[in-house]
Amino acid sequence: MPEKHLSTQFDSELSAVSTRVMEMGGLVESQIHQAIFALSQFSVEVANQVSATEPRVNTMEVDIDRELSSIIARRQPTARDLRLLIAISKTTANLERVGDEAAKIARMVRSIIESGGPRSLPANELRVAGDMASGLLRKALDAFARLDTTAAVAILKEDDLIDEEFNGFVRKLITYMMEDPRMISPSLDLLFLAKALERIGDHAKNIAEFIIYVVKGADVRHTSMEQIESVLK
């Protein structure tokens, strides 16, 4: 991830903290996969595994932030180096929130199972959105490791596909609720789950935006794709 510096120790510290971020990302990806599996198989056991992982994710965020603070205090980085450390901190915060979304899904799965909710609703279709969100997060982390702005732009565009998937699923749930009022409550549960997956895509998008911030020094949040592409020229 980092460029070479005159200080070999600084390079070593950046490499170590970057490795920790990737480890945290892998753990969070695993949470997402488990949460979706728990939903598709109505498995309380797997849902519990997702919840059990949450404290570990939280601890990793705190540890990485502590290390970043130490590096900044000791090295007093400037310009791109400082932007990189700030971006790493924000990336770990977004990963922690992705873990929160996975834990929310797990809790909702347990609630649906315990309430004896109907299994005729299109819960399995959420696996598509789950795979898309998890895949986008993986791409964002890979791009961040390389500080690849071209890949970052592709990720920003791909997030729109997850939004479209979410909107299509919402329309389907509305149809279910209109046809059978008894489906309103369980449909709202699935809507909650779909929104959690859509938020995971948003966090992957945030990480992609941090890449552009590091490389170009530009904050592209709330910026049109045309403006972003102009910044990268």
Side-chain angles (χ1 to χ4, degrees):
M1 177 187 297
E3 296 178 339
K4 290 294 182 182
H5 298 83
L6 294 177
S7 170
T8 303
Q9 183 60 32
F10 190 21
D11 282 334
S12 177
E13 291 170 351
L14 287 176
S15 178
V17 75
S18 298
T19 297
R20 290 284 286 162
V21 172
M22 295 303 128
E23 290 174 356
M24 183 179 179
L27 184 60
V28 168
E29 282 185 70
S30 176
Q31 278 187 293
I32 299 171
H33 290 304
Q34 287 182 314
I36 297 303
F37 180 85
L39 175 63
S40 63
Q41 301 299 317
F42 283 84
S43 172
V44 172
E45 180 182 358
V46 176
N48 288 338
Q49 291 174 9
V50 176
S51 298
T53 304
E54 187 176 15
R56 184 180 168 194
V57 171
N58 295 340
T59 298
M60 291 184 79
E61 182 199 10
V62 172
D63 289 346
I64 291 171
D65 241 16
R66 184 183 297 116
E67 181 59 25
L68 290 171
S69 297
S70 176
I71 293 173
I72 291 172
R74 287 183 285 104
R75 305 298 179 185
Q76 299 183 349
T78 59
R80 177 165 165 153
D81 291 339
L82 181 58
R83 293 200 303 270
L84 175 59
L85 293 172
I86 291 172
I88 291 174
S89 177
K90 290 184 176 182
T91 293
T92 56
N94 274 266
L95 288 175
E96 189 274 334
R97 289 175 190 133
V98 170
D100 285 346
E101 297 297 341
K104 287 179 187 176
I105 294 172
R107 288 194 293 271
M108 182 57 70
V109 168
R110 286 199 301 268
S111 176
I112 291 173
I113 294 172
E114 291 167 0
S115 66
R119 304 191 179 192
S120 58
L121 286 168
N124 278 330
E125 293 187 20
L126 286 178
R127 295 190 66 174
V128 175
D131 289 343
M132 291 175 66
S134 177
L136 196 63
L137 181 64
R138 167 46 49 195
K139 291 177 183 178
L141 290 171
D142 288 345
F144 193 85
R146 302 188 309 273
L147 293 179
D148 185 340
T149 56
T150 300
V153 170
I155 290 163
L156 297 181
K157 293 177 179 178
E158 192 172 340
D159 180 58
D160 292 338
L161 298 178
I162 294 179
D163 294 339
E164 291 175 11
E165 186 74 19
F166 171 74
N167 292 333
F169 190 74
V170 170
R171 289 192 293 270
K172 181 168 290 189
L173 288 179
I174 290 173
T175 300
Y176 274 90
M177 290 186 283
M178 291 177 64
E179 291 177 350
D180 187 349
R182 292 173 298 178
M183 294 293 103
I184 292 177
S185 180
S187 292
L188 291 176
D189 288 341
L190 290 187
L191 179 60
F192 178 94
L193 296 173
K195 184 61 180 178
L197 293 172
E198 191 261 346
R199 288 292 299 140
I200 290 171
D202 288 342
H203 289 302
K205 177 182 177 181
N206 291 344
I207 294 172
E209 291 173 344
F210 301 151
I211 296 169
I212 299 172
Y213 168 71
V214 173
V215 176
K216 294 295 185 178
D219 185 346
V220 295
R221 292 175 298 174
H222 315 300
T223 302
S224 70
M225 187 56 62
E226 182 178 299
Q227 290 172 309
I228 291 173
E229 291 176 336
S230 176
V231 166
L232 295 175
K233 286 181 180 178

